[in-house]
Amino acid sequence: MNTSRFFLFVNFLAVAFVALANAQNAPPRLPLDRLMSKEDQAATGVSNLTDTERAALEVWLTNFGLRVMQAGQNPAAPKAAPRAAGPYAGLNVEHWIKAVVERGQTIQLDDGSLWQINPFNKIDAILWMGVERVTVIESNNPLYPYKLVNTDSKSAAEAKLISK
């Protein structure tokens, strides 16, 4: 894996698990079973670790990812968080995906609405393709009050409406 892909991967993992930890009010920890296939664990020796060593590696990976993410942020020019756009009129209606933007971070639907995807669900949304069908439903997550349910791939992603 080349260096830029590695750091992109680590940055994505850090963001995803920080979001998960914040949602669950638990300390963030990257579970190796969700990050690596069994084959990769065997090839790298991770499968030979004791439970204590494995837990220590998960904590180290989490902290390393957070440091990489923080180092990549420019405090002089912080990114503005997308603002909620209010209630969505197309609730419980089937739409189609017009565009998957920023590697699954943002989804645009056929009605022009833009959706910020929960970082924990970005792994699903990045695989979505244009013209797949989605239905927008309400979510129980106050940070991402909607869920885009992809009726073609049978996957879903929590989302925040950022533009109507």
Side-chain angles (χ1 to χ4, degrees), residues 18-164:
V18 167
L20 174 64
N22 289 341
Q24 296 179 349
N25 292 325
R29 186 165 156 181
L30 297 170
L32 290 170
D33 288 335
R34 295 192 67 185
L35 300 176
M36 301 174 75
S37 68
K38 294 294 181 191
E39 294 80 18
D40 287 339
Q41 289 183 37
T44 59
V46 170
S47 60
N48 298 327
L49 296 176
T50 66
D51 290 342
T52 304
E53 292 169 331
R54 188 179 188 85
L57 179 58
E58 289 175 348
V59 169
W60 183 89
L61 273 173
T62 302
N63 291 332
F64 176 75
L66 290 170
R67 286 192 309 271
V68 168
M69 183 178 72
Q70 290 168 349
Q73 294 176 346
N74 180 356
K79 292 182 180 177
R83 293 178 287 124
Y88 180 59
L91 203 59
N92 300 316
V93 175
E94 188 172 86
H95 299 275
W96 55 270
I97 297 172
K98 186 173 182 180
V100 178
V101 185
E102 298 168 339
R103 298 184 178 172
Q105 184 176 336
T106 306
I107 302 290
Q108 183 179 28
L109 298 183
D110 59 336
D111 62 358
S113 60
L114 286 174
W115 299 86
Q116 178 188 12
I117 300 298
N118 182 335
F120 189 65
N121 299 134
K122 182 179 168 185
I123 192 99
D124 293 315
I126 198 170
L127 300 173
W128 292 356
M129 298 172 52
V131 304
E132 286 187 315
R133 295 171 296 158
V134 295
T135 301
V136 180
I137 62 173
E138 291 186 40
S139 164
N140 292 329
N141 183 343
L143 297 175
Y144 295 91
Y146 297 99
K147 189 178 286 189
L148 305 181
V149 179
N150 187 319
T151 54
D152 290 323
S153 69
K154 308 295 186 233
S155 59
E158 291 180 323
K160 178 189 309 183
L161 180 63
I162 55 176
S163 175
K164 293 183 195 181

